Amino acid sequence: SAVISQKPSRDICQRGTSLTIQCQVDSQVTMMFWYRQQPGQSLTLIATANQGSEATYESGFVIDKFPISRPNLTFSTLTVSNMSPEDSSIYLCSVRTSSDAGELFFGEGSRLTVL
Amino acid sequence: GQNIDQPTEMTATEGAIVQINCTYQTSGFNGLFWYQQHAGEAPTFLSYNVLDGLEEKGRFSSFLSRSKGYSYLLLKELQMKDSASYLCAGLDSNYQLIWGAGTKLIIKP
């Protein structure tokens, strides 16, 4: 298993600003992912955070809007840039500890409200 | 395209049994997950099926039929704390998870 700490747990942000979410895992993990969950909806994968290289983004998500860092195997950040009210959502860090078919573990999530 | 279908909402009575169905279409198949998500919390893992049949784990069981592209989550002896959303997710040939929209389960006394 893996214990994942995310911060901030929640924040209220002004339109046009940027916020960085941090994700810390208690062990080295191969795969780290960033998801978004908008109110009442399921999970949407934003990107896979790759250690030492650029993240792999899903369709509809771009690096300028959601820059991601992953300096080592236990830590990653997601920045939500130039925020608008449509970015109000829960952002979840998740990890897979072993094989490709292994279960995902999730952080507690970061609930962002953009005014 | 890839798709996961599950009912939006279900209601059941405390102490009863409920079955939440999920049908999937994925590009290749490497298994199916069920997650539980309480309101305001992160999803937590319930089960993983990759072979046909029923996997039982306490009050929760999960079934898979690969030929039918179908799975269900069976919850027995329902408790009020089982009120949550239940997410079905298929793992495709690239080991990418395809998520359903979730089924909100409401338990009534």
Side-chain angles (χ1 to χ4, degrees):
Chain A
S1 65
V3 177
I4 305 168
S5 300
Q6 254 186 264
K7 57 181 181 182
S9 58
R10 59 178 64 234
D11 207 340
I12 299 173
C13 309
Q14 296 298 318
R15 181 195 297 262
T17 63
S18 299
L19 181 79
T20 296
I21 303 167
Q22 298 182 2
C23 175
Q24 179 73 55
V25 190
D26 69 340
S27 58
Q28 294 187 340
V29 294
T30 307
M31 307 291 285
M32 290 182 78
F33 306 92
W34 286 98
Y35 280 89
R36 182 172 74 182
Q37 187 174 31
Q38 295 182 307
Q41 298 188 23
S42 191
L43 301 166
T44 301
L45 181 63
I46 297 172
T48 302
N50 301 309
Q51 192 264 328
S53 64
E54 194 171 285
T56 305
Y57 289 85
E58 298 300 307
S59 175
F61 297 96
V62 295
I63 188 171
D64 289 345
K65 176 67 176 177
F66 297 101
I68 288 170
S69 79
R70 190 175 175 195
N72 55 53
L73 292 175
T74 65
F75 184 78
S76 178
T77 68
L78 168 75
T79 299
V80 186
S81 303
N82 187 26
M83 286 185 284
S84 66
E86 291 72 34
D87 294 319
S88 297
S89 187
I90 299 173
Y91 293 85
L92 292 152
C93 171
S94 71
V95 305
R96 184 176 284 149
T97 57
S98 55
S99 67
D100 287 333
E103 67 185 87
L104 281 184
F105 297 92
F106 288 88
E108 309 97 326
S110 300
R111 183 185 295 271
L112 302 187
T113 302
V114 185
L115 303 177
Chain B
Q2 306 199 90
N3 195 49
I4 303 284
D5 283 319
Q6 53 182 132
T8 304
E9 186 174 296
M10 298 181 71
T11 302
T13 304
E14 189 177 17
I17 299 173
V18 71
Q19 177 175 310
I20 303 174
N21 296 324
C22 170
T23 57
Y24 64 88
Q25 289 179 304
T26 56
S27 300
F29 180 73
N30 279 301
L32 190 124
F33 290 87
W34 284 95
Y35 279 79
Q36 180 191 59
Q37 185 175 27
H38 285 100
E41 297 182 14
T44 55
F45 170 80
L46 287 178
S47 68
Y48 171 65
N49 293 65
V50 66
L51 299 176
D52 289 349
L54 187 69
E55 298 265 350
E56 297 187 72
K57 194 184 294 185
R59 294 189 298 114
F60 291 9
S61 303
S62 56
F63 172 83
L64 177 68
S65 168
R66 288 174 298 173
S67 62
K68 295 181 179 178
Y70 167 70
S71 173
Y72 67 73
L73 181 69
L74 190 72
L75 292 75
K76 302 177 185 177
E77 300 170 19
L78 286 169
Q79 302 174 10
M80 297 302 292
K81 68 178 182 179
D82 297 330
S83 293
S85 287
Y86 291 85
L87 307 175
C88 175
L91 198 62
D92 71 9
S93 58
N94 294 320
Y95 295 97
Q96 296 291 319
L97 274 173
I98 311 302
W99 292 90
T103 299
K104 182 178 179 182
L105 179 63
I106 300 167
I107 309 295
K108 295 186 175 180

